[in-house]
Every structure is written in C-alpha cells, then in structure tokens.
Amino acid sequence: MPKGPTKRRPQTRARLLEAAMDAFAEAGFGATSIDEICRRAGYTTGAYYSNFSSKDELFFALFDEHAAQALDRLVSKVAGLADGNLTPEEIAGILADLSPEERRWYLVSTEFTLYAMRNPEAAGLLADHDARARAELVRILTAYLTRMGRESAVDLDLLARLIIAIREGALLQSLVEPDALPTGTLEAAFLPTLLRSLFHA
C-alpha cells in the first residue's frame, strides 16, 4: 500500500502549480522566487524540489496542463454540435472562444516566451512542448477533414502554427484594447475566409 507522502503527492503538485500560476500572473515569471511559490502553497522548498527540479520545469508543467485543457475544450465543443458538418464560421467561433483563465495564461506564457528567447535551452524545451501541443491540434484537424471528406491545400502543421499565431496575436490586441476590439472579433472576421481558401473537397 502506498505511503502517505506518495498518496499526497498529486495534491502537493497541484497546489504548487496553482500557487505558481497566481504568482507568475501577478509578479511575473522572473520576479517570482521558488520561496514565494512555496509560501503561497503552504509547503517547504523540500516539497517543491520533490516535484520540480527548477522553475522552468514547473512552467512546462503549467504549459502542458493548459494545452491539454484547451484541446479538450476544442474537442468537446466540436463533439457537442448536433451537425458534424462544421462551417468555417462555426470553426472560427470555436477557435475564438476563450476560457476565463486565458488572460492570466497569456501574461504568464508571454513573459516566459521572452525569457526563452534569451535562453537557448529554455527555447528548445519550449519549442518541444509547442510541437507536442501543435501535433494534437493537427490530429484534431485531420479527423475533422476526414469526417468531412475534405483535405487541406497546405501542410497542417503550418496551418496549426498560423491559427495559433492569429489567436494569440488577436488576444494581445483585445487585452490591450478590450472596448475597441472584443475578444474573438478578428477571428470571426477573417478565419472563415482563410479556412475556405485552405480546405477543399
């Protein structure tokens, strides 16, 4: 039978991740110390290092968790539509739909990306995690096209990169000018036309 600390480890890890997310969003990745994360979570640094070897590793745990949740939402929304024959407008609406946590995640991930741009090792790891999330998006797009009896006129990995770039760039502008550009505005206006030009029967 597992000992107490082993059974508690998932809870410890979850509390550390939650505390780190709060701290990174409030003060920034660079300004947040491991001691501060532990203080917020109510654990010692020993508990921290039994779960994560560094602050970078903790960020990537947050990254994978966020990516999995975002992709799960995408799959659920597609599956929840009565008609599986999605229109470009419906696809654009699904891609533009953001969770309440997206603003916090954008703050955290953008700062880490800037840090990674100055740190080749972190950049390589970020690229690996990006690639895994993108591969899952490609899998979802492939399944959709197969169901629709269509194919893409472009490489789907490049298309996934473009969709992510549009989504993140549009979100940045909406976060800076929320009244002038509500979230989802650019995606709803331009993604349908883009998708029509890239998917063909």
Side-chain angles (χ1 to χ4, degrees), residues 43-123:
Y43 291 119
T44 65
T45 55
Y48 180 95
Y49 284 111
S50 71
N51 286 274
F52 305 104
S53 63
S54 66
K55 204 163 57 166
D56 285 20
E57 183 180 333
L58 185 149
F59 169 81
F60 287 120
L62 286 171
F63 180 103
D64 292 341
E65 184 178 84
H66 177 268
Q69 291 171 352
L71 290 165
D72 284 347
R73 283 197 305 273
L74 176 59
V75 170
S76 296
K77 287 181 179 296
V78 172
L81 293 171
D83 183 1
N85 188 16
L86 300 180
T87 66
E89 287 77 13
E90 287 172 328
I91 298 173
I94 290 170
L95 292 172
D97 185 41
L98 302 174
S99 76
E101 288 290 297
E102 208 64 32
R103 181 184 183 278
R104 287 205 316 158
W105 175 247
Y106 195 92
L107 289 171
V108 174
S109 61
T110 298
E111 184 177 4
F112 187 88
T113 299
L114 294 173
Y115 158 75
M117 289 168 63
R118 301 182 179 95
N119 185 319
E121 182 178 356

Side-chain angles (χ1 to χ4, degrees), residues 177-192:
E177 299 180 85
D179 295 330
L181 191 72
T183 56
T185 300
L186 293 180
E187 295 94 319
F190 297 106
L191 272 180

Side-chain angles (χ1 to χ4, degrees), residues 6-21:
T6 301
K7 290 191 292 185
R8 288 197 301 270
R9 183 165 183 166
Q11 180 183 359
T12 302
R13 182 181 175 88
R15 285 175 58 180
L16 287 167
L17 287 171
E18 183 179 355
M21 185 69 178

